[in-house]
């Protein structure tokens, strides 16, 4: 039987070449990064260029995905009167859509090419940004319309899966961890960046109070226009600077075959606990701070307590920075051990948060629309009730402890993200090596097939994991609990129990008995992925 590469030719007969075979549409044939001469002379610069613009596009996608996490807390300042449950649902919708579309986004790389799909996915970001800019300038926009617009922000969540699947093909096995780690961290930082700069862009206070609120009020549409312009830049950058790989072409049935692999589902479950927590907490944190530590009925009234705009970005920043650390630790000590430690830390952290929540004073609900209108008509005459002022001041004293423990939880989610995702390519690489002999054409084809499967698994695992980003805000806004503080306490009890289950699963699958992943660690393959 003659073995052929995806681009044609007798694989056994051909020697590795340092030159490229290019076709129209920036397609590259016969991409073979495992050969040192090809990689050193030709492959590395091309891979780095594609990685750079992939990071930019993914970073932009994450920012648009989480644009509602901060903007929802500013909606009242623009004349909208939504309940806490409505606001939590509004920030949860993009996470659900972003999770659901990650699988088709992953499959699209094998169907259309990485460069082509980067252009399409970046162009799709114009829908949530421009529609957002239109709706927030009209106080009569119905809540249902906001829900639809928030759903389109989920397009940005799909960018992660397609970006990771694409970059996975460009790098040799020994460098996949670093490349995918940079790609993921750059994307995750988009959450922190949007939460850091959006308050400043729209005219709200920010950067720990160093930037004061604009006297002209809040203009959420400004942030949308900025990111719409960046989406156009991402399309042009992909057109001129990125490439498609023929080796990445595959059929949907081949990609979906990873659904039969039991470790796909184990990793998916654990990724709900790590990445799902990261994205869910990132989305909910600004609103959690506002509801429990800050009071400002209208912008013309000086607020009291802790301004959510000063600190909302810190969680996402810590989680993003910790992600490469999790991958590095998984390289050194094994993915199972580091994942177990991450979940153990999350159990302790959420218990600590429950302690701080027990120290808080419940704040009264926000005024209704009629009361807000009276306050806005004569803000100088408004005075905070003594009970409200006392509760806010008491809660402000607890805030440093609450924030510190919450940031510890974010760090654990980031480390867990790195340690779980990093071993995905290693699982399929180990399968390929066990099924073939070394230094044979069969081994090379098996490794290429393993790369395709791991790229598909990245998307599926990421999709399942991202569902946690929907469930967490929904749990915080539980409609059956009218008091926001009581709902927050109930939510963290649920999360703590879930992390205990994740800890037990990690121990049982990775550490209690021999497994594929444990064998990888012993043979030095753990951590080849993100």
């Amino acid at each position: 039987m003659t073995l052929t590469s995806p681009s044609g030719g007798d694989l056994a007969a051909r020697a590795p070449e340092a030159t490229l075979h290019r076709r129209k549409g920036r397609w590259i044939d016969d991409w073979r990064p495992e050969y040192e001469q090809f990689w050193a002379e030709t492959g590395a610069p091309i891979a780095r260029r594609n990685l750079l613009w992939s990071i930019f596009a993914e970073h932009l996608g994450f920012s648009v995905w989480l644009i509602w996490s901060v903007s929802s807390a500013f909606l009242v300042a623009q004349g909208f009167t939504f309940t806490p449950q409505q606001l939590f649902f509004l920030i949860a919708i993009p996470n659900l859509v972003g999770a659901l579309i990650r699988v088709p986004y992953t499959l699209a790389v094998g169907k259309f090419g990485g460069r082509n799909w980067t252009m399409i996915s970046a162009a799709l970001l114009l829908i949530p940004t421009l529609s957002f800019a239109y709706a927030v300038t009209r106080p009569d926009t119905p809540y249902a319309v906001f829900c639809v617009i928030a759903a389109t922000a989920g397009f940005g969540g799909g960018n992660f899966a397609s970006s990771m699947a694409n970059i996975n093909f460009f790098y040799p096995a020994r460098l996949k961890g670093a490349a995918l780690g940079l790609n993921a961290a750059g994307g995750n930082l988009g959450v922190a960046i949007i939460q850091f700069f959006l308050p400043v862009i729209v005219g709200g206070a920010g950067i720990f109070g160093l930037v004061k609120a604009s006297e002209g009020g809040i203009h959420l549409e400004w942030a949308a226009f900025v990111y719409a312009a960046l989406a156009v830049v991402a399309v042009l950058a992909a057109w001129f600077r990125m490439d498609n790989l023929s080796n990445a072409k595959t059929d949907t049935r081949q990609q979906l075959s990873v659904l039969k692999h039991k470790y796909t589902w184990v990793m998916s479950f654990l990724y709900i606990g790590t990445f799902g927590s990261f994205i869910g907490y990132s989305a909910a944190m600004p609103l959690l701070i506002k509801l429990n530590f800050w009071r400002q009925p209208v912008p013309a009234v000086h607020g009291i307590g802790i301004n959510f705009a000063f600190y909302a970005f810190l969680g996402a920043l810590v989680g993003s920075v910790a992600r490469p650390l999790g991958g590095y630790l998984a390289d050194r000590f094994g993915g199972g051990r580091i994942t177990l430690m991450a979940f153990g830390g999350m159990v302790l952290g959420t218990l600590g948060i429950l302690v701080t929540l027990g120290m808080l004073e419940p704040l009264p609900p926000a005024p209704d629309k009629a009361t807000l209108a009276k306050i806005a008509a004569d803000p100088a005459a408004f005075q905070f009730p003594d009970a409200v002022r006392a509760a806010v001041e008491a809660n402000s004293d607890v805030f440093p402890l609450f924030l510190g423990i919450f940031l510890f939880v974010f760090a654990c989610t980031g480390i867990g993200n790195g340690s779980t995702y990093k071993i995905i390519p290693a699982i399929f690489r180990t399968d390929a090596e066990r099924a073939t002999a070394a230094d044979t054409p069969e081994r090379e084809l098996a490794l290429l097939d393993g790369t395709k499967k791991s790229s598909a698994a990245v998307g599926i695992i990421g999709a399942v994991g991202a569902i946690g980003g929907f469930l967490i805000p929904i749990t915080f806004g539980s409609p059956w609990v009218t008091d926001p503080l009581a709902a927050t306490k109930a939510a963290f009890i649920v999360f703590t129990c879930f992390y205990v289950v994740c800890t037990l699963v990690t121990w049982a699958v990775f550490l209690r008995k021999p497994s594929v992943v444990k064998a990888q660690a012993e043979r030095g393959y753990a951590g080849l992925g993100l």
Side-chain angles (χ1 to χ4, degrees), residues 320-413:
S320 300
V321 172
R323 183 162 189 156
L325 174 62
Y328 169 77
L329 293 174
D331 274 340
R332 293 288 306 274
F333 306 107
R337 293 187 182 91
I338 301 305
T339 302
L340 184 71
M341 292 177 60
F343 280 124
M346 292 165 71
V347 170
L348 294 177
T350 49
L351 287 174
I353 291 175
L354 280 169
V355 172
T356 64
L357 293 176
M359 301 165 64
L360 297 181
E361 295 290 337
L363 298 181
D368 58 26
K369 191 171 184 177
T371 304
L372 289 174
K374 292 180 181 179
I375 297 173
D378 188 14
F382 175 77
Q383 294 291 330
F384 285 101
D386 291 340
V388 173
R389 187 175 293 276
V392 170
E393 291 176 354
N395 289 355
S396 297
D397 293 336
V398 181
F399 180 74
L401 181 61
F402 170 85
L403 180 64
I405 298 176
F406 214 151
L407 293 183
F408 171 76
V409 173
F410 269 103
C412 291
T413 66

Side-chain angles (χ1 to χ4, degrees), residues 19-388:
T19 58
L20 283 178
H21 300 279
R22 288 187 177 272
R23 291 187 284 113
K24 184 179 180 181
R26 297 189 68 93
W27 282 94
I28 298 176
D29 295 329
D30 198 23
W31 182 262
R32 306 173 77 183
E34 299 295 343
Y35 289 100
E36 294 185 5
Q37 180 185 0
F38 173 86
W39 179 253
E41 298 180 11
T42 305
I46 295 173
R48 285 194 295 267
R49 172 166 46 78
N50 279 270
L51 174 61
L52 172 65
W53 292 110
S54 175
I55 290 174
F56 176 75
E58 186 192 343
H59 177 94
L60 178 62
F62 263 90
S63 296
V64 173
W65 192 20
L66 269 293
I67 194 171
W68 285 96
S69 69
V70 185
S71 60
S72 62
F74 281 112
L75 287 177
V76 174
Q78 292 213 183
F80 299 97
T81 54
F82 298 142
T83 66
Q85 287 80 11
Q86 287 178 312
L87 292 176
F88 275 120
F89 186 69
L90 202 58
I91 64 178
I93 295 173
N95 293 338
L96 176 62
V97 175
L100 296 177
I101 68 173
R102 282 188 166 194
V103 173
Y105 266 53
T106 300
L107 301 179
V109 172
K111 185 71 174 178
F112 302 104
R115 172 239 188 193
N116 295 345
W117 187 251
T118 300
M119 290 190 295
I120 295 172
S121 61
L124 287 173
L125 298 180
L126 292 173
I127 299 175
T129 51
L130 296 180
S131 59
F132 176 95
Y134 177 83
V136 296
T137 59
R138 289 160 174 77
D140 59 342
T141 302
Y143 177 73
V145 173
F146 274 114
C147 290
V148 174
I149 296 173
T152 65
F155 293 159
N159 285 11
F160 173 83
S162 57
S163 178
M164 295 295 286
N166 182 42
I167 293 302
N168 188 42
F169 284 101
F170 274 94
Y171 280 83
R174 68 183 186 279
L175 299 177
K176 284 184 189 291
L180 294 177
L182 286 172
N183 197 51
N188 289 175
L189 280 172
V191 181
I193 294 299
I194 190 70
Q195 293 180 337
F196 182 76
F197 282 112
L198 185 141
V200 177
I201 295 173
V202 304
I207 313 181
F208 303 111
L210 297 177
V211 176
K212 302 301 181 182
S214 170
E215 294 183 0
I218 302 298
H219 296 275
L220 288 173
E221 69 275 13
W222 292 352
F225 288 136
V226 168
Y227 279 93
L230 291 175
V232 174
V233 173
V235 173
L236 295 175
W239 173 270
F240 289 109
R241 302 297 294 164
M242 293 186 71
D243 302 285
N244 298 306
L245 297 181
S246 296
N247 289 19
K249 294 284 286 184
T250 187
D251 61 85
T252 302
R253 179 176 296 181
Q254 180 186 22
Q255 289 180 294
L256 293 180
S257 66
V258 299
L259 294 173
K260 300 178 181 179
H261 202 298
K262 65 178 182 180
Y263 279 96
T264 298
W265 296 107
V266 172
M267 302 301 293
S268 295
F269 177 77
L270 296 180
Y271 206 55
I272 293 175
T274 57
F275 180 77
S277 296
F278 166 79
I279 204 68
Y281 290 148
S282 296
M285 190 173 183
L287 201 52
L288 284 176
I289 296 175
K290 181 179 181 180
L291 291 175
N292 294 295
F293 298 96
W294 173 250
R295 272 296 179 268
Q296 185 181 25
V298 295
V301 173
H302 181 69
I304 58 174
I306 305 298
N307 193 331
F308 67 93
F310 296 177
Y311 304 97
F313 73 96
L314 286 175
L317 177 63
V318 170
S320 300
V321 172
R323 183 162 189 156
L325 174 62
Y328 169 77
L329 293 174
D331 274 340
R332 293 288 306 274
F333 306 107
R337 293 187 182 91
I338 301 305
T339 302
L340 184 71
M341 292 177 60
F343 280 124
M346 292 165 71
V347 170
L348 294 177
T350 49
L351 287 174
I353 291 175
L354 280 169
V355 172
T356 64
L357 293 176
M359 301 165 64
L360 297 181
E361 295 290 337
L363 298 181
D368 58 26
K369 191 171 184 177
T371 304
L372 289 174
K374 292 180 181 179
I375 297 173
D378 188 14
F382 175 77
Q383 294 291 330
F384 285 101
D386 291 340
V388 173

